[in-house]
Amino acid sequence: MFSEEILKLGTKKSTIREIFEYGKKRASVVGKENIFDFSIGNPNVPAPQCVKETILEIVNNEDPTLIHGYTSAQGDDDVRESIAKSLNDRFDTKFTKDNLYMTVGAAASISICLKALTNVGDEYITFAPYFPEYKCFVEGAGGKLIVVPADIETFQINFIEFEKSITEHTKAIIVNSPNNPSGIVYSEETIKKLAKILVEKSKEYNHPIYLISDEPYREIAYDGVKVPYLTKYYNNTFVCYSYSKSLSLPGERIGYIVVPSEMEDFNLAYAAICGGGRVLGYVNAPSLFQKVVGKCATATADISIYETNRNLLYEGLTKLGYKCVKPGGAFYLFPQSLEADAKEFCKKAREKYDLLLVPGDDFGCPGHFRLSYCVQTEQIERAMPLFEKLAKDYLK
Ligand code: PLP
C-alpha cells in the first residue's frame, strides 16, 4: 500500500502545471502564437555568457574524475568559499565556507531546513499570498503550515493577524521576498518589525523561533529597491537561495543554504542541516554546476527585460481598470480579478481569449490572479487588446 498523502500529491498536478499543460494542448490546435501563456515561472532570459564559458573551460581543462566526482556532502570547499566572499562583498556579512551548504535549488534548501528543525507538533507560519509548494514541504517534514491572511492593500506583512497566529508550537516563519506571486519586496521597516516580534516571542516561549528566508528572486528587484539581507536583522535566520532565476538555471537544480555563525547553537544548527540533507538524499549538489556557480557567483542573467515587462503590464493593465499593487521585484503581477471568484475569472480568460492566468486561491489569496511575465515582451504587447476585451466584459 502506498502512502495516501504522497500518492495524492503525485496524482494531482498543481493548478499552475494544469494550466501550463492545457496551454500546450491548446497550442497544438490554434498555434503557439495564439496562446498567451502567463502561467509558469520559467525564466525566458538565457543564462549569462559567463555560465557557458565556465562550463566549457571546466570541461576542456579540468580533470573529469573531479568534475563529475563526489564533493564533500555539504559542497566543494572552494565553491562555498567563493560564494561566501561574494555575499560578504555585496551584503557586508562575514560568512565563510562553514556557513554554507550547497543544495539542489530552493525547494531542496527549504526542505532540508524543515527536516532539520521539525519535531512532532511543530508549526510553520507563512504569509499569504505564498508559494503553494510550502504546504507540501512543511507537511512532508511532519509539520503544520499556518497561513496568515494577506494585507491586500500593500502585500507587506499583516502584523495583527501574524501576532495572533504565533503559539508555543511555532518553530519557524517562512518568508519570500521578492515574492512569488505578488512581486512585493518586504521593506526594511517590515523586516525590522518582524525581527522584533520574533525576538520577543522566542523569549516568551523560551525557544528560538527561526526565520526561513526563501529568496530565489533576490537579484530581481527594480527601481533600485533594496532587498534587506535577513541574517543582518535576525540571527536565527536560514537563507535558502537558488540560482534558478538569477542565473536562469532552473533545470540544473543548484542553490545553497546559509547558516549564520550568530545563530543560536550554530554548530548544532549546521550539523542538523547536514543531517537534513543526508536524510533527504540531497548530499553533494551537482558537481559541475557547483563549480559553475562558484565561478559565476557575482553574475546574473540579463534581468532588465523583466523590468520592461513589468512596466508594460502594470501600466497597461491599471490603465484598463485592473487593480494591482505595483511589484518591486520577481517576475509576477498579482492583480485583483474582475469577479469575486478568481477561478471563474481565469477560466473565462482562458476559454474566451486564450489568456493563461493562475487564480490566487492556491496562493492563499482568493479574488486575485497571477501573471508570470518572464515571457517575450512582444507576447505582452499582443495580449493587451485581449486584456482590454476581458476588462470590457466586466467593467461596462
Ligand atoms: N520558492 C519560490 C518562491 C519559487 O517561486 C520557486 C520556484 O519557482 C522555488 C522556491 C523553487 O525554486 P527552485 O527551482 O530553486 O527549487
Side-chain angles (χ1 to χ4, degrees), residues 105-129:
S109 305
I110 300 162
S111 299
I112 289 173
C113 290
L114 294 167
K115 198 75 191 167
L117 289 172
T118 308
N119 290 308
V120 176
D122 282 348
E123 294 178 352
Y124 292 86
I125 297 175
T126 198
F127 304 101

Side-chain angles (χ1 to χ4, degrees), residues 104-107 110 131 134 176 180 214 216-217 242 244-245 250 253 332:
V104 196
I110 300 162
F131 182 55
Y134 291 161
N176 167 224
N180 174 8
D214 174 25
Y217 303 96
S242 161
S244 293
K245 318 289 174 171
R253 317 305 303 135
Y332 307 101

Side-chain angles (χ1 to χ4, degrees), residues 238-343:
F238 294 97
V239 177
C240 296
Y241 185 78
S242 161
Y243 292 93
S244 293
K245 318 289 174 171
S246 63
L247 282 180
S248 289
L249 292 175
E252 303 302 350
R253 317 305 303 135
I254 191 81
Y256 58 80
I257 301 168
V258 171
V259 186
S261 303
E262 295 77 18
M263 182 174 283
E264 206 168 311
D265 293 325
F266 164 74
N267 288 328
L268 298 181
Y270 191 84
I273 290 295
C274 293
R278 189 174 169 194
V279 167
L280 295 170
Y282 286 149
V283 290
N284 191 161
S287 302
L288 173 60
F289 274 86
Q290 282 193 50
K291 289 181 192 298
V292 171
V293 297
K295 294 198 175 178
C296 299
T298 54
T300 63
D302 177 9
I303 50 186
S304 62
I305 182 177
Y306 300 137
E307 188 158 5
T308 305
N309 288 357
R310 179 209 56 169
N311 292 342
L312 257 180
L313 259 183
Y314 175 77
E315 279 154 26
L317 291 185
T318 47
K319 231 181 251 166
L320 291 173
Y322 293 86
K323 290 207 169 66
C324 182
V325 182
K326 190 173 189 180
F331 37 57
Y332 307 101
L333 210 68
F334 200 59
Q336 288 178 16
S337 57
L338 300 181
E339 63 179 296
D341 186 342
K343 286 186 186 163

Side-chain angles (χ1 to χ4, degrees), residues 46-322:
Q49 191 61 14
C50 157
V51 166
K52 184 173 174 183
E53 284 166 7
T54 307
I55 293 171
L56 291 175
E57 184 204 305
I58 294 171
V59 172
N60 286 330
N61 300 321
E62 293 192 18
D63 175 351
T65 59
L66 294 178
I67 300 172
H68 303 298
Y70 287 125
T71 64
S72 302
Q74 65 269 43
D76 180 88
D77 284 2
D78 292 343
V79 169
R80 287 183 294 133
E81 204 56 65
S82 158
I83 295 171
K85 181 177 177 321
S86 98
L87 291 172
N88 296 341
D89 290 346
R90 282 180 291 155
F91 305 115
D92 196 24
T93 46
K94 295 195 168 50
F95 301 133
T96 71
K97 66 176 175 33
D98 299 326
N99 298 107
L100 273 95
Y101 185 99
M102 300 304 295
T103 65
V104 196
S109 305
I110 300 162
S111 299
I112 289 173
C113 290
L114 294 167
K115 198 75 191 167
L117 289 172
T118 308
N119 290 308
V120 176
D122 282 348
E123 294 178 352
Y124 292 86
I125 297 175
T126 198
F127 304 101
Y130 68 100
F131 182 55
E133 294 300 287
Y134 291 161
K135 192 161 155 55
C136 303
F137 300 158
V138 167
E139 290 176 2
K144 183 173 173 201
L145 185 70
I146 310 290
V147 179
V148 174
D151 168 355
I152 61 167
E153 297 301 319
T154 64
F155 290 132
Q156 297 285 322
I157 291 175
N158 180 341
F159 281 105
I160 295 173
E161 293 299 322
F162 172 49
E163 290 210 51
K164 283 191 223 157
S165 65
I166 305 176
T167 71
E168 61 185 310
H169 302 297
T170 306
K171 179 52 77 72
I173 315 300
I174 307 175
V175 289
N176 167 224
S177 167
N179 183 267
N180 174 8
S182 72
I184 288 307
V185 176
Y186 286 160
S187 66
E188 189 179 36
E189 190 193 343
T190 293
I191 296 304
K192 281 184 172 165
K193 202 163 167 186
L194 174 64
K196 184 168 177 286
I197 292 171
L198 293 183
V199 168
E200 285 165 7
K201 290 287 178 183
S202 297
K203 222 186 235 167
E204 180 182 337
Y205 293 119
N206 203 24
H207 65 79
I209 298 178
Y210 297 91
L211 196 53
I212 297 175
S213 177
D214 174 25
E215 44 185 73
Y217 303 96
R218 164 163 289 281
E219 285 77 16
I220 308 176
Y222 314 126
D223 309 324
V225 71
K226 286 237 161 13
V227 183
Y229 203 83
L230 299 198
T231 61
K232 300 183 71 174
Y233 296 84
Y234 189 65
N235 290 345
N236 290 325
T237 300
F238 294 97
V239 177
C240 296
Y241 185 78
S242 161
Y243 292 93
S244 293
K245 318 289 174 171
S246 63
L247 282 180
S248 289
L249 292 175
E252 303 302 350
R253 317 305 303 135
I254 191 81
Y256 58 80
I257 301 168
V258 171
V259 186
S261 303
E262 295 77 18
M263 182 174 283
E264 206 168 311
D265 293 325
F266 164 74
N267 288 328
L268 298 181
Y270 191 84
I273 290 295
C274 293
R278 189 174 169 194
V279 167
L280 295 170
Y282 286 149
V283 290
N284 191 161
S287 302
L288 173 60
F289 274 86
Q290 282 193 50
K291 289 181 192 298
V292 171
V293 297
K295 294 198 175 178
C296 299
T298 54
T300 63
D302 177 9
I303 50 186
S304 62
I305 182 177
Y306 300 137
E307 188 158 5
T308 305
N309 288 357
R310 179 209 56 169
N311 292 342
L312 257 180
L313 259 183
Y314 175 77
E315 279 154 26
L317 291 185
T318 47
K319 231 181 251 166
L320 291 173
Y322 293 86

